[in-house]
Amino acid sequence: MGANHRVKLSQWDALMLEGLRAYGWSNEELLRRISERDLPVDTSIFEFDYLALAEFASAEPVTFESAVKDGYSIKYNTLGGLRSWIAVAYGLEPEVVREPGQEAVIAELTPEQKERLASVISFGWSIQDEAGKPGVYRMEPIQR
């Protein structure tokens, strides 16, 4: 599937998938562990229930395998969810701006991180360079 035809995951399923990716497993190992329900207990602040992700994978095997192997996009992002995705996927703590009319998530990203984020962020969000700060990006809703 091309980037424009990626499967869509809920924000929470995407976070759990990224939580498992943090273990450094290959796609095949991740798929095997999900299939066999050989999953770790999450002790992060998120307390992910990876068995729920295994249930999703069992119910939607083609979608889940495609998400793992070909990438995915998130159905709908929130400010907090986008902050969390960056934290889980990249180990970074972005700034969240919640001021009405200025809502945004701001993070310093490598070009590769920015490219991957652009491929998963949901429709309705833009990624802009933060003026005067090379490598710093502002993710904001297109409409407020």
Side-chain angles (χ1 to χ4, degrees), residues 20-131:
L20 289 176
R21 284 196 183 284
Y23 285 92
W25 300 329
S26 68
N27 288 344
E28 292 71 26
E29 176 77 358
L30 195 152
L31 290 168
R32 181 193 65 75
R33 285 176 172 270
I34 284 280
S35 170
E36 295 175 2
R37 299 177 190 270
D38 177 16
L39 300 165
V41 173
D42 184 44
T43 57
S44 76
I45 62 167
F46 299 102
E47 298 180 353
F48 292 132
D49 176 4
Y50 292 126
L51 291 178
L53 189 62
E55 288 296 325
F56 169 72
S58 177
E60 299 284 341
V62 173
T63 298
F64 186 74
E65 184 173 342
S66 180
V68 170
K69 291 183 174 180
D70 305 320
Y72 60 87
S73 62
I74 296 172
K75 292 177 187 177
Y76 179 80
N77 281 114
T78 63
L79 283 172
L82 190 52
R83 183 218 62 83
S84 295
W85 191 92
I86 292 169
V88 173
Y90 301 144
L92 303 172
E93 189 53 56
E95 175 187 353
V96 178
V97 178
R98 295 186 186 277
E99 182 180 324
Q102 300 298 315
E103 300 91 342
V105 176
I106 301 169
E108 185 172 349
L109 304 171
T110 66
E112 295 79 17
Q113 289 170 329
K114 178 193 174 206
E115 185 177 318
R116 179 152 185 256
L117 176 61
S119 77
V120 302
I121 200 168
S122 67
F123 178 79
W125 286 81
S126 69
I127 302 174
Q128 306 295 326
D129 294 337
E130 188 73 344

